[in-house]
Amino acid sequence: MLPVVALMAIFSSVNSHAESTNPTPTKEYVVDDYANVLSDSTKQVIIDQAKKYQQTAAKPQIVVMTVKSTGGQSIADYADSILENARWKFGKKGLDNGTLILFAQNGGKNNVRISTGYGIEGILPDAKTNQILNNNKSLLKSKNSSEVDNGIQQTFQDVASIVSKEYANKSLKDAKATKDANQRKKYVSWGILLFLVLIIVGIAYYLKKNNNDDDHHNHSGGGGNGFWTGAILGGANSVYNDYGGFGGDSGGFGDSGGGGDFGGGGSDI
């Protein structure tokens, strides 16, 4: 019996690790509690809401997942890896109206992220998801398991209240138009940002080159150009970092969100 028990223990450990690092959907799909932190009542709230969404034309979806660890990844990168996996298809195909609420214990850090598809981003922009997370931060970061459960349920309900209001009576045509508009807006924003950064870098390069020429010819006033070069380069770097190097919280998930691009946005704490 001892070898059998030992093998069972090893299998359980390996399975637990696999669930944490490469989770697969549970039979409920919308509730994937691998960290065992959700109460039955919280799970039921999520499942009941999912059933209501399935009765609407646009069929939005909010998936709540808890894991023990993100395996050394940031929670944003971990969420990306989940959404890039073909086994996860959030929301309705072609509408990208899925939302992922991800909770990771991470040795007591209690990291949480809300990731949204293009179809949801208009009503749940990064500022709104960040506000929701911070409103529930004290519960989500608590060492008390019941408070964590309450925090996750409240976070879900805050997200669901916005999603429900948007999709209660929305037609498929209108939902598709919303998704396409959000996607175009994101592309335009990235294009404008890239254009501005290129201009800033170009000016900085020009000033730096002139400054080097001034130093070479021992002209006065080189320090002034050096100041402006540093200021512009610093500004460019700040803009770049604020936008996560054209990645960050922008999402960029391929072939998710019900078969479309799950590349809306997201926030985490």
Side-chain angles (χ1 to χ4, degrees):
M1 287 297 294
L2 287 177
V4 173
V5 172
L7 285 172
M8 290 177 65
I10 293 173
F11 177 78
S12 176
S13 175
V14 170
N15 189 52
S16 176
H17 177 73
E19 288 175 343
S20 180
T21 58
N22 189 25
T24 56
T26 62
K27 64 179 181 178
E28 290 85 8
Y29 191 81
V30 292
V31 180
D32 305 274
D33 184 26
Y34 299 121
N36 297 315
V37 298
L38 301 180
S39 64
D40 290 340
S41 61
T42 293
K43 292 178 182 178
Q44 198 59 53
V45 166
I46 299 167
I47 292 170
D48 288 346
Q49 185 63 69
K51 291 178 179 178
K52 292 178 182 178
Y53 287 151
Q54 287 303 305
Q55 296 173 6
T56 65
K59 293 181 172 58
Q61 199 167 53
I62 305 173
V63 174
V64 177
M65 181 187 296
T66 73
V67 295
K68 293 180 179 180
S69 170
T70 56
Q73 291 182 291
S74 70
I75 194 162
D77 288 343
Y78 186 84
D80 286 2
S81 67
I82 291 172
L83 296 166
E84 289 168 357
N85 196 308
R87 67 170 63 104
W88 295 101
K89 301 286 185 180
F90 299 162
K92 184 173 177 62
K93 185 175 182 179
L95 298 183
D96 307 318
N97 56 358
T99 303
L100 170 66
I101 300 175
L102 175 65
F103 172 88
Q105 289 177 322
N106 280 338
K109 293 180 181 179
N110 289 10
N111 301 121
V112 193
R113 179 172 176 81
I114 301 174
S115 295
T116 60
Y118 283 120
I120 291 288
E121 189 184 18
I123 58 171
L124 281 172
D126 294 355
K128 175 60 69 174
T129 54
N130 185 63
Q131 180 185 10
I132 290 173
L133 289 173
N134 278 290
N135 286 346
N136 296 293
K137 188 173 182 177
S138 61
L139 292 173
L140 294 169
K141 294 288 188 178
S142 175
K143 302 298 182 184
N144 185 295
S145 59
S146 63
E147 289 187 349
V148 170
D149 172 66
N150 187 22
I152 294 174
Q153 181 178 152
Q154 188 58 54
T155 299
F156 170 82
Q157 290 179 327
D158 289 346
V159 171
S161 65
I162 297 173
V163 174
S164 298
K165 184 177 180 180
E166 174 72 9
Y167 287 98
N169 300 301
K170 200 163 196 174
S171 68
L172 283 175
K173 182 179 179 180
D174 289 342
K176 182 68 164 59
T178 297
K179 175 256 182 178
D180 291 343
N182 290 337
Q183 197 167 18
R184 285 194 299 271
K185 183 178 178 181
K186 176 76 76 174
Y187 290 156
V188 169
S189 297
W190 285 354
I192 293 173
L193 177 63
L194 179 59
F195 179 71
L196 290 175
V197 169
L198 287 175
I199 289 177
I200 291 172
V201 171
I203 294 173
Y205 174 78
Y206 174 78
L207 291 176
K208 186 175 182 180
K209 185 176 184 300
N210 279 359
N211 186 52
N212 288 338
D213 289 343
D214 289 345
D215 289 343
H216 180 70
H217 293 97
N218 294 319
H219 288 167
S220 62
N225 278 347
F227 169 79
W228 286 110
T229 300
I232 292 175
L233 284 174
N237 187 58
S238 175
V239 170
Y240 180 84
N241 287 334
D242 285 344
Y243 281 83
F246 302 109
D249 284 344
S250 63
F253 318 124
D255 195 28
S256 295
D261 291 329
F262 200 98
S267 303
D268 55 74
I269 57 173

